[in-house]
Amino acid sequence: MWVEGNEVLTNALEIGGRSFQSRLMVGTGKYADNPTMVQAIEASGAQIVTVAVRRVNLDRSQDENILHHLSPDKFFLLANTAGCYNADEAVRYARLAREAGFNEFVKLEVIGDQKTLMPDVVGLVEATKVLVTEGFQVMAYTNDDVVTALRLEDAGCAAVMPLASPIGSGLGLLNPYNIRTIKHRLSLPIIVDAGVGTASDACVTMEQGVDGILMNTAIAAASNPVAMAGAMKLAVEAGRLAFMSGPMPRKEVAKPSSPTKGMLDQT
Amino acid sequence: MWVEGNEVLTNALEIGGRSFQSRLMVGTGKYADNPTMVQAIEASGAQIVTVAVRRVNLDRSQDENILHHLSPDKFFLLANTAGCYNADEAVRYARLAREAGFNEFVKLEVIGDQKTLMPDVVGLVEATKVLVTEGFQVMAYTNDDVVTALRLEDAGCAAVMPLASPIGSGLGLLNPYNIRTIKHRLSLPIIVDAGVGTASDACVTMEQGVDGILMNTAIAAASNPVAMAGAMKLAVEAGRLAFMSGPMPRKEVAKPSSPTKGMLDQT
Amino acid sequence: MWVEGNEVLTNALEIGGRSFQSRLMVGTGKYADNPTMVQAIEASGAQIVTVAVRRVNLDRSQDENILHHLSPDKFFLLANTAGCYNADEAVRYARLAREAGFNEFVKLEVIGDQKTLMPDVVGLVEATKVLVTEGFQVMAYTNDDVVTALRLEDAGCAAVMPLASPIGSGLGLLNPYNIRTIKHRLSLPIIVDAGVGTASDACVTMEQGVDGILMNTAIAAASNPVAMAGAMKLAVEAGRLAFMSGPMPRKEVAKPSSPTKGMLDQT
Amino acid sequence: MWVEGNEVLTNALEIGGRSFQSRLMVGTGKYADNPTMVQAIEASGAQIVTVAVRRVNLDRSQDENILHHLSPDKFFLLANTAGCYNADEAVRYARLAREAGFNEFVKLEVIGDQKTLMPDVVGLVEATKVLVTEGFQVMAYTNDDVVTALRLEDAGCAAVMPLASPIGSGLGLLNPYNIRTIKHRLSLPIIVDAGVGTASDACVTMEQGVDGILMNTAIAAASNPVAMAGAMKLAVEAGRLAFMSGPMPRKEVAKPSSPTKGMLDQT
Amino acid sequence: MESHKLQINVTVNGQARSSQAGQSLDVLLRELQLDSRMVVVEHNGVIVRRPDLVETRLDEGDNVELVHFVGGG
Amino acid sequence: MESHKLQINVTVNGQARSSQAGQSLDVLLRELQLDSRMVVVEHNGVIVRRPDLVETRLDEGDNVELVHFVGGG
Amino acid sequence: MESHKLQINVTVNGQARSSQAGQSLDVLLRELQLDSRMVVVEHNGVIVRRPDLVETRLDEGDNVELVHFVGGG
Amino acid sequence: MESHKLQINVTVNGQARSSQAGQSLDVLLRELQLDSRMVVVEHNGVIVRRPDLVETRLDEGDNVELVHFVGGG
């Protein structure tokens, strides 16, 4: 990310034994059309791209298949279990996804409530345990509760993915304290997933010290998705770099930037 | 800034009849040493660089002179009137600065209070009028009051520079509403000057629609000023691009990113 | 609370079949001395007062016993299970508390992490189910996750008690959105427990529409606990009343309070 | 306000040599009808009540005159110069108001911009100087700029009245830092005027240490103005008392409220 | 005699009004059914204190402003 | 003879469909013009790996789910 | 005679204590100068209701927990 | 002769300094080892443009300010 000089600033993101250069991961849903999706994803610089597992539409199957638009050689396809409301269902979708043959990773979602799309943390931990036993690299979409995050770490997740705010809401980082706490207490990579609305949300989220961000709607639902994808790429890099750079302390005192010495005598 | 496609996203910043590519302007004060300053400024990508007017130190004059470190061919040197507490004094410094021969621009500061370094808006408008008559391009450091900003526009400023928070405080953008209001009501370029503390502050400031940001301490007082300068460059670009991209609306409702159709039958 | 006129503004708080006039509940821990505690609790106007269950200190037992200071005829003693780290332990403490003979209510805490004192929501739901079967009125201290809150409602709680921020932190209401969401989605009384630091925190929390607040440290650790208790009483009432009064809409537009007509002719 | 014990908590508000018990001042504009206005003002507990100076409507003059509804024996009528756009006009209105014979106080407004109703600080200082010379007690409505506030103090104001946010916007306290700074730097009473939207806004404003609040729209435009007036009364008292009580320090660390000693042995 | 008094044009609160030359402000208020204790009078830009209302008389082209306190914030 | 094969009822992605008894999943995919490299097949709740598609045959009442990757977040 | 009663070892609130075999919990509380209305007693993990304190007797190795309400939040 | 020139007292950047009457600002800068392209000169409150430095001469009690650009924000 930061190529000049300091090695510590340039380190890659390691998840489940794999190494990624970009800390921005993007979804592939909700775009007006596929060319816009492809351009936006390219502008985002993302390597990890999420996809959903759904039935083939037997009537007009061709165009839906994401593989017609995104090459698995170029992008790391991270299947999700979106839409699953219990552990068994999520495990079933995860197994189907792995069978597609790209990788052993899954973005595990066990939704607990249809209105808020907040996770069911009990089902989430349960599904994680099953999938870890089967050799999956589980990246678990969760709320911002540190205790659940610790349980997910114990259960063998590859990464924990707390939300910034509800999926698709664009409300931004509602509770920076909780995200910071999760980052401090866990050893796993923390990828904030869901809720980012604009570039400054992404930037301030990265400044909490987390390892990456996954977003979809903020790009797909912008007036200009391709340009917003570029903005998000810059914002994630800016936030990461600022975090690594050690920002100045904030204080309720003004201090001149120009020298106070060397002023002329009053005429 | 944004080179692919959409022309409206790539427009330059026009101030006082000159055109600038970078929307980040940086100060040259408070660095631990000159090589760090030079590296940081280069990393920031800034074209406009502020300098102060001070007496030559007759004992060890060589090293202080900024021209020994920054070439006026490479950077646009914007002299400030920092440290001036009334209109006459500020006008005197501005005239001395112009005599250095680089350009007719001045970052006009008329400080009204030593503790907060907040501007004296009465003296500021007065000094602006004098300098405009003498042909200066005045960029006026001011508070976030829209009425004062309108008066400065009437007085013939080239740009209005409201603060985000007090100079050197790093408190970030305390009142986005006021900054947004100033941008909406004035036709002049609005450059937010002072108070930015970290990258997300810069990003969210640009997202208010302003034309640029000037900062010094946030870079100079970071643990790693050169890396922070790079972060600020990215953050300003990210914020500008996000603003131009039309962010999604924020709403207190969750919406799935993956299709709700095509789910499998329950087993 | 609000005695003039409108009946809807004066309704009592109903929990577990009992009716309470005050929406402020207070803890009894961390006071410098018992007389201060008693005075503060009286100034708070609270009816529900929490107590902990602990071993009698066999060496100097007299003064610790809260019953020597607070009459159970005057206050409704709500025993907590603070310090319990699993469901079984919490159930044991709840049973001991009930045996004291005052009431069938328990403030159920199942802590999941010693550093943050955040609840273990799995153990919490489990303990709730056991205690509800045994006829307890369970008031469950939980995080601000709506799915867990819904599970607690399903499990038969008498009230759900989401936190504003960590116990004893005084960070205030970190995520108003989550608290509002819990209130909207549940039918149970919602009592915000933990994290309030000062009066405005209490006021803004009540304005989310919740039914009450429980606090301890904000009063006990103020410089003047008795006066702060009075402030909290007022703040809770103010917040409740403002919520019931239907606040004006916020809008980014100024509107004069004085008539624009009837101005004099310019002289 | 706080009648038990501590004398320092009960001090009255002194402005221009007069002493007031209530720290909440209210306007009389924008009510649906006069009986609601009267009830709301009574519920607010305010002593100082603002009124505007306008032409008698020669066709139906009776009902407009505020003196038909509010007795000057019961309330302290504070005339404003709302609607005045320069110093001369404001001075004219102030003189007319004083001639009504109630008191020598004026809430001085010199508006600088019709859209935001933000003050013209140059005209404000100028009008203040004239009125002070003529023996007025000037309470100056101003923005949240500390330098202007200092100039107003120098000019002889009786109180400085910075805004929380634009008149009638209900946006609440946009910049607590600026208000705190004004309070710290001036010796005069600071009354925050304009922008409060709901009770918690009033409470948090008082917690900055200011001496009082003046509001109008937040009460008049609430769904239930009388109840909201009661809420504001409580909120102002709560905020003042909390400020005087010395709130606990906020810290990002949890601390138990119940003893960690005295736990039972595990069974 | 009263009936012979000269008619003059004055402006009261921005409205044209005909009056009699030499009419006092006191009488004007009474004609307008205004209670002088409730109103402040400005006559040609100068405030007229209540005791002086009887003495102050209208002339051709005079401008009178009658103000009072109304609801405001 | 082919023409004598028994007709059976199966469910594919929730839709009733008639097929021939003993037809392989591989043939089913071809009939549906689906590329087996792009699709994952679940047969009566059990995933069928690609090499086994030829061997796995349909029976009366079988439930087949054909899934693939679509856009999602 | 009292003096001949068998000495036993019990644990009360985590502290070792010697007592007499067959001593009732009621007596134990009195020895400890505790008011039974203020204390809840758990005997070998089972809560002993107040009326039963007189009947419940200590045996070798018994574990007794005596709890009450203290300040807490 | 040079050596007979009158000694005068001037103030340069706030410091007292003795100089020779009639010395040019140009020479003053050289004495101070300052590059005139890097410095702006104010002489008794009036800016002296570079071409005029040679012509402008010091007198008793003159005040000279020599300024340049330093780091500032």
Side-chain angles (χ1 to χ4, degrees):
Chain A
M1 180 189 306
W2 179 252
V3 290
E4 288 164 39
N6 205 328
E7 193 183 351
V8 80
L9 299 175
T10 69
N11 62 343
L13 170 61
E14 308 276 345
I15 304 176
R18 303 218 186 187
S19 182
F20 302 94
Q21 293 310 307
S22 171
R23 291 173 181 276
L24 174 57
M25 308 170 195
V26 297
T28 54
K30 295 168 106 173
Y31 281 92
D33 53 67
N34 285 312
T36 303
M37 176 193 72
V38 172
Q39 280 181 64
I41 291 174
E42 279 171 358
S44 77
Q47 292 173 272
I48 298 180
V49 167
T50 61
V51 295
V53 174
R54 288 292 179 275
R55 276 176 174 169
V56 173
N57 182 332
L58 298 180
D59 304 320
R60 42 163 195 93
S61 56
Q62 190 80 351
D63 200 54
E64 285 183 335
N65 193 314
I66 205 79
L67 299 173
H68 292 118
H69 309 288
L70 293 177
S71 162
D73 298 335
K74 200 164 156 196
F75 296 102
F76 185 88
L77 299 182
L78 175 62
N80 68 30
T81 64
C84 295
Y85 279 80
N86 61 59
D88 287 348
E89 202 180 0
V91 167
R92 183 185 180 198
Y93 276 68
R95 288 172 181 156
L96 287 166
R98 180 162 63 172
E99 202 56 33
F102 298 112
N103 58 62
E104 71 282 24
F105 283 62
V106 64
K107 187 191 135 194
L108 182 63
E109 297 188 29
V110 182
I111 303 301
D113 174 57
Q114 204 161 4
K115 287 195 192 162
T116 60
L117 301 178
M118 300 290 275
D120 177 328
V121 297
V122 177
L124 183 66
V125 173
E126 195 185 319
T128 298
K129 286 177 182 164
V130 172
L131 292 171
V132 167
T133 309
E134 299 183 7
F136 280 86
Q137 297 290 351
V138 177
M139 299 175 67
Y141 160 72
T142 183
N143 60 27
D144 62 2
D145 172 36
V146 67
V147 174
T148 300
L150 288 164
R151 299 292 180 270
L152 289 168
E153 184 166 78
D154 291 347
C157 276
V160 170
M161 305 184 82
L163 50 73
S165 52
I167 294 173
S169 71
L171 292 174
L173 184 58
L174 293 181
N175 194 333
Y177 169 82
N178 273 7
I179 294 297
R180 238 169 15 241
T181 301
I182 288 174
K183 179 60 195 168
H184 288 161
R185 299 295 307 284
L186 275 73
S187 311
L188 285 181
I190 305 301
I191 311 297
V192 170
D193 178 11
V196 161
T198 186
S200 56
D201 297 340
C203 193
V204 81
T205 298
M206 290 304 296
E207 285 175 345
Q208 308 309 311
V210 300
D211 301 277
I213 301 182
L214 170 52
M215 67 180 69
N216 188 338
T217 310
I219 296 173
S223 304
N224 184 336
V226 180
M228 185 57 93
M232 290 298 186
K233 175 188 195 301
L234 295 167
V236 167
E237 292 176 2
R240 177 66 181 175
L241 195 51
F243 173 74
M244 301 300 284
S245 303
M248 66 177 287
R250 300 188 190 267
K251 56 199 167 320
E252 294 209 348
V253 169
K255 262 203 177 159
S257 313
S258 299
T260 50
K261 291 192 176 171
M263 298 298 288
L264 282 62
D265 284 337
Q266 305 286 337
T267 48
Chain B
M1 179 190 305
W2 179 250
V3 289
E4 289 165 37
N6 204 330
E7 193 184 349
V8 79
L9 299 175
T10 67
N11 61 342
L13 171 61
E14 310 276 345
I15 304 177
R18 302 218 188 188
S19 181
F20 302 94
Q21 294 310 309
S22 172
R23 290 172 182 275
L24 174 58
M25 307 168 195
V26 297
T28 53
K30 296 168 105 172
Y31 282 92
D33 53 68
N34 285 313
T36 303
M37 176 193 71
V38 172
Q39 279 182 65
I41 290 174
E42 280 171 357
S44 77
Q47 290 173 270
I48 299 179
V49 167
T50 62
V51 295
V53 174
R54 289 290 179 275
R55 277 176 173 167
V56 174
N57 183 333
L58 297 179
D59 303 322
R60 41 165 194 92
S61 58
Q62 189 80 353
D63 199 54
E64 282 181 338
N65 192 314
I66 205 80
L67 299 173
H68 292 119
H69 309 291
L70 293 176
S71 162
D73 299 335
K74 200 165 156 195
F75 296 102
F76 185 89
L77 299 182
L78 175 62
N80 67 31
T81 63
C84 295
Y85 280 80
N86 60 60
D88 285 348
E89 202 180 1
V91 167
R92 182 185 181 197
Y93 276 68
R95 289 171 180 156
L96 287 166
R98 182 163 62 171
E99 201 57 34
F102 298 113
N103 56 62
E104 72 281 25
F105 283 62
V106 64
K107 188 192 134 192
L108 181 64
E109 298 187 28
V110 181
I111 303 300
D113 174 57
Q114 204 161 5
K115 287 197 192 160
T116 59
L117 301 176
M118 300 289 274
D120 177 329
V121 297
V122 177
L124 183 65
V125 173
E126 195 185 319
T128 297
K129 286 176 182 166
V130 172
L131 292 171
V132 166
T133 308
E134 299 185 6
F136 280 88
Q137 297 291 351
V138 177
M139 298 175 66
Y141 160 71
T142 183
N143 60 28
D144 61 2
D145 172 36
V146 67
V147 175
T148 301
L150 287 165
R151 299 292 180 270
L152 289 166
E153 185 167 76
D154 291 346
C157 276
V160 171
M161 305 183 82
L163 50 72
S165 53
I167 294 173
S169 70
L171 291 175
L173 183 58
L174 293 181
N175 194 335
Y177 170 81
N178 274 6
I179 294 298
R180 237 170 13 241
T181 301
I182 289 174
K183 179 59 196 168
H184 288 160
R185 298 295 307 285
L186 274 73
S187 309
L188 285 181
I190 305 301
I191 311 297
V192 171
D193 178 11
V196 161
T198 185
S200 56
D201 296 341
C203 193
V204 81
T205 299
M206 290 304 296
E207 285 175 345
Q208 308 311 309
V210 299
D211 300 278
I213 301 181
L214 170 51
M215 65 179 72
N216 188 339
T217 310
I219 295 173
S223 304
N224 183 336
V226 180
M228 185 58 92
M232 289 299 187
K233 175 188 196 300
L234 295 167
V236 167
E237 292 176 1
R240 178 67 182 173
L241 196 50
F243 173 73
M244 301 301 283
S245 303
M248 65 178 288
R250 300 187 189 268
K251 55 197 168 321
E252 293 208 348
V253 169
K255 261 205 178 158
S257 313
S258 298
T260 51
K261 290 192 176 171
M263 299 298 288
L264 283 62
D265 285 338
Q266 305 285 337
T267 48
Chain C
M1 177 191 307
W2 178 251
V3 289
E4 289 164 38
N6 204 329
E7 193 183 351
V8 80
L9 299 175
T10 68
N11 61 343
L13 171 61
E14 309 276 347
I15 305 177
R18 303 218 186 188
S19 183
F20 302 94
Q21 293 310 307
S22 172
R23 291 173 182 276
L24 174 58
M25 308 170 193
V26 298
T28 55
K30 297 170 105 171
Y31 281 92
D33 53 68
N34 285 313
T36 304
M37 176 193 71
V38 172
Q39 279 181 66
I41 290 173
E42 280 171 356
S44 77
Q47 292 172 270
I48 299 179
V49 167
T50 62
V51 295
V53 175
R54 290 290 181 273
R55 277 176 174 169
V56 173
N57 183 332
L58 297 180
D59 304 319
R60 42 162 195 95
S61 57
Q62 190 80 352
D63 200 54
E64 282 181 338
N65 192 315
I66 204 80
L67 298 173
H68 293 119
H69 310 290
L70 294 176
S71 161
D73 298 334
K74 202 167 155 196
F75 296 101
F76 185 89
L77 299 181
L78 174 62
N80 68 30
T81 63
C84 295
Y85 279 80
N86 60 59
D88 286 349
E89 202 180 1
V91 167
R92 183 185 181 198
Y93 276 67
R95 288 172 180 155
L96 287 165
R98 180 161 65 172
E99 203 56 35
F102 298 112
N103 58 61
E104 70 282 25
F105 283 62
V106 64
K107 188 192 132 190
L108 182 64
E109 297 188 27
V110 181
I111 302 301
D113 174 57
Q114 205 160 3
K115 288 195 192 161
T116 59
L117 301 176
M118 299 290 273
D120 176 330
V121 297
V122 177
L124 183 65
V125 173
E126 194 185 319
T128 297
K129 287 177 181 165
V130 172
L131 292 171
V132 166
T133 308
E134 298 184 6
F136 280 88
Q137 297 290 353
V138 177
M139 298 175 66
Y141 160 72
T142 183
N143 59 27
D144 62 3
D145 172 36
V146 67
V147 175
T148 300
L150 288 165
R151 300 291 180 270
L152 289 167
E153 185 166 77
D154 292 346
C157 275
V160 170
M161 305 183 81
L163 50 73
S165 52
I167 294 172
S169 70
L171 292 175
L173 183 57
L174 293 181
N175 193 335
Y177 170 82
N178 274 6
I179 294 298
R180 233 163 27 234
T181 300
I182 289 174
K183 179 60 195 169
H184 287 161
R185 299 295 308 284
L186 274 73
S187 310
L188 286 180
I190 305 301
I191 311 297
V192 170
D193 178 12
V196 161
T198 186
S200 57
D201 296 342
C203 193
V204 81
T205 298
M206 291 304 295
E207 285 175 344
Q208 309 310 311
V210 299
D211 300 277
I213 301 181
L214 169 52
M215 66 180 71
N216 188 337
T217 310
I219 296 173
S223 304
N224 183 336
V226 180
M228 185 57 93
M232 289 300 187
K233 175 186 195 302
L234 296 167
V236 167
E237 292 176 2
R240 178 67 181 174
L241 196 49
F243 173 73
M244 301 301 283
S245 303
M248 67 178 285
R250 301 188 190 269
K251 55 199 168 321
E252 295 209 348
V253 169
K255 262 201 178 161
S257 313
S258 299
T260 50
K261 290 190 176 172
M263 297 298 288
L264 283 62
D265 285 338
Q266 305 286 336
T267 50
Chain D
M1 177 191 306
W2 180 249
V3 291
E4 290 165 34
N6 205 329
E7 193 184 350
V8 80
L9 299 175
T10 68
N11 60 343
L13 171 61
E14 309 276 346
I15 304 177
R18 304 218 186 188
S19 183
F20 302 95
Q21 294 309 308
S22 172
R23 291 174 182 276
L24 174 58
M25 307 168 194
V26 298
T28 54
K30 295 169 107 172
Y31 282 92
D33 53 68
N34 285 312
T36 303
M37 176 193 71
V38 172
Q39 281 182 64
I41 290 174
E42 280 170 357
S44 78
Q47 291 173 271
I48 299 179
V49 168
T50 61
V51 295
V53 175
R54 290 290 179 275
R55 277 177 173 169
V56 173
N57 182 333
L58 297 179
D59 304 320
R60 38 162 199 93
S61 56
Q62 189 79 354
D63 200 54
E64 282 182 339
N65 192 314
I66 205 80
L67 299 173
H68 292 119
H69 310 290
L70 294 176
S71 162
D73 298 336
K74 200 165 157 194
F75 297 102
F76 185 89
L77 299 182
L78 175 62
N80 68 32
T81 64
C84 295
Y85 280 80
N86 61 59
D88 286 349
E89 201 180 2
V91 168
R92 182 184 181 198
Y93 277 68
R95 288 172 181 156
L96 287 166
R98 181 161 63 170
E99 202 56 34
F102 299 112
N103 57 62
E104 71 283 23
F105 283 63
V106 64
K107 187 192 135 194
L108 182 63
E109 299 187 28
V110 180
I111 303 300
D113 174 57
Q114 204 161 3
K115 287 197 191 161
T116 60
L117 302 176
M118 300 289 274
D120 177 329
V121 297
V122 178
L124 184 65
V125 173
E126 194 185 320
T128 297
K129 287 177 182 165
V130 172
L131 292 171
V132 166
T133 308
E134 299 185 5
F136 280 87
Q137 297 290 352
V138 177
M139 299 176 66
Y141 159 71
T142 183
N143 60 27
D144 62 2
D145 172 36
V146 68
V147 174
T148 301
L150 288 163
R151 298 294 178 269
L152 289 167
E153 185 167 77
D154 292 346
C157 275
V160 170
M161 305 184 82
L163 50 73
S165 51
I167 294 172
S169 71
L171 293 174
L173 184 57
L174 293 181
N175 194 334
Y177 169 81
N178 274 6
I179 294 297
R180 246 178 357 251
T181 301
I182 289 174
K183 179 61 195 167
H184 288 161
R185 299 295 306 286
L186 274 73
S187 310
L188 286 181
I190 305 300
I191 312 297
V192 170
D193 178 12
V196 161
T198 186
S200 56
D201 296 341
C203 193
V204 80
T205 298
M206 290 305 294
E207 285 175 345
Q208 309 310 311
V210 299
D211 300 278
I213 301 182
L214 169 51
M215 65 180 72
N216 188 338
T217 310
I219 295 174
S223 303
N224 184 335
V226 181
M228 184 58 93
M232 289 299 187
K233 176 188 195 301
L234 295 167
V236 167
E237 292 176 1
R240 179 65 181 175
L241 195 50
F243 173 73
M244 301 302 283
S245 303
M248 66 178 286
R250 301 189 189 268
K251 54 197 170 320
E252 295 211 345
V253 168
K255 261 202 178 160
S257 313
S258 299
T260 50
K261 289 191 177 173
M263 298 298 288
L264 284 62
D265 285 338
Q266 305 285 338
T267 47
Chain E
M1 287 191 307
E2 285 273 323
S3 57
H4 295 143
K5 281 197 178 159
L6 191 63
Q7 287 298 115
I8 54 171
N9 298 303
V10 299
T11 305
V12 179
N13 284 6
Q15 295 173 21
R17 184 180 173 90
S18 77
S19 186
Q20 293 174 319
Q23 190 189 49
S24 76
L25 289 173
D26 188 51
V27 171
L28 175 68
L29 288 181
R30 254 182 289 141
E31 274 184 22
L32 293 166
Q33 300 183 302
L34 294 171
D35 179 346
S36 68
R37 292 166 305 177
M38 298 295 225
V39 170
V40 176
V41 183
E42 195 194 67
H43 177 231
N44 294 336
V46 178
I47 293 172
V48 183
R49 318 204 70 179
R50 271 175 212 140
D52 302 334
L53 290 173
V54 180
E55 307 286 303
T56 312
R57 295 181 184 281
L58 290 172
D59 218 337
E60 174 67 23
D62 276 6
N63 189 44
V64 177
E65 295 279 0
L66 308 172
V67 306
H68 61 171
F69 284 167
V70 301
Chain F
M1 287 192 311
E2 285 274 320
S3 59
H4 293 143
K5 279 195 178 163
L6 190 62
Q7 286 298 114
I8 54 172
N9 298 302
V10 297
T11 305
V12 179
N13 282 8
Q15 296 173 19
R17 183 179 173 91
S18 79
S19 185
Q20 292 175 322
Q23 189 188 50
S24 75
L25 291 172
D26 187 52
V27 171
L28 175 67
L29 288 181
R30 254 180 288 140
E31 275 184 22
L32 293 166
Q33 298 182 303
L34 295 171
D35 179 345
S36 67
R37 291 164 307 175
M38 298 295 225
V39 171
V40 176
V41 183
E42 193 193 71
H43 178 233
N44 295 334
V46 178
I47 292 172
V48 183
R49 319 204 69 179
R50 271 177 210 137
D52 301 335
L53 289 174
V54 180
E55 305 288 301
T56 310
R57 294 178 184 282
L58 291 173
D59 218 336
E60 174 66 23
D62 275 7
N63 189 43
V64 177
E65 295 279 3
L66 308 173
V67 306
H68 61 172
F69 284 168
V70 302
Chain G
M1 285 191 315
E2 285 276 320
S3 60
H4 293 145
K5 282 201 176 159
L6 188 62
Q7 287 297 116
I8 55 172
N9 297 302
V10 298
T11 305
V12 179
N13 283 5
Q15 295 174 19
R17 184 180 173 89
S18 79
S19 185
Q20 292 174 322
Q23 189 189 48
S24 76
L25 290 173
D26 187 53
V27 171
L28 175 67
L29 288 181
R30 255 181 289 140
E31 275 185 21
L32 293 166
Q33 299 182 301
L34 293 171
D35 179 345
S36 68
R37 291 166 307 175
M38 297 294 224
V39 170
V40 177
V41 183
E42 194 194 69
H43 176 233
N44 294 336
V46 178
I47 292 172
V48 184
R49 318 204 70 178
R50 271 175 212 139
D52 302 335
L53 290 173
V54 181
E55 305 287 302
T56 312
R57 297 180 182 282
L58 289 173
D59 219 338
E60 174 66 24
D62 275 6
N63 190 45
V64 177
E65 294 280 1
L66 308 172
V67 306
H68 61 171
F69 285 167
V70 302
Chain H
M1 284 192 312
E2 285 275 322
S3 58
H4 294 142
K5 282 196 177 160
L6 190 64
Q7 286 299 114
I8 54 172
N9 297 303
V10 298
T11 305
V12 179
N13 283 4
Q15 295 174 20
R17 183 180 173 89
S18 78
S19 186
Q20 292 174 320
Q23 190 189 50
S24 75
L25 290 173
D26 187 53
V27 171
L28 175 68
L29 287 182
R30 254 181 287 139
E31 275 184 23
L32 292 166
Q33 299 182 305
L34 293 171
D35 179 344
S36 68
R37 291 165 307 176
M38 297 295 224
V39 170
V40 176
V41 183
E42 194 194 67
H43 177 233
N44 295 335
V46 178
I47 293 173
V48 183
R49 317 204 71 180
R50 270 175 213 137
D52 302 336
L53 290 173
V54 180
E55 305 287 301
T56 311
R57 296 182 181 280
L58 290 173
D59 218 337
E60 174 67 22
D62 275 5
N63 189 44
V64 177
E65 295 279 2
L66 307 172
V67 306
H68 61 172
F69 284 167
V70 303

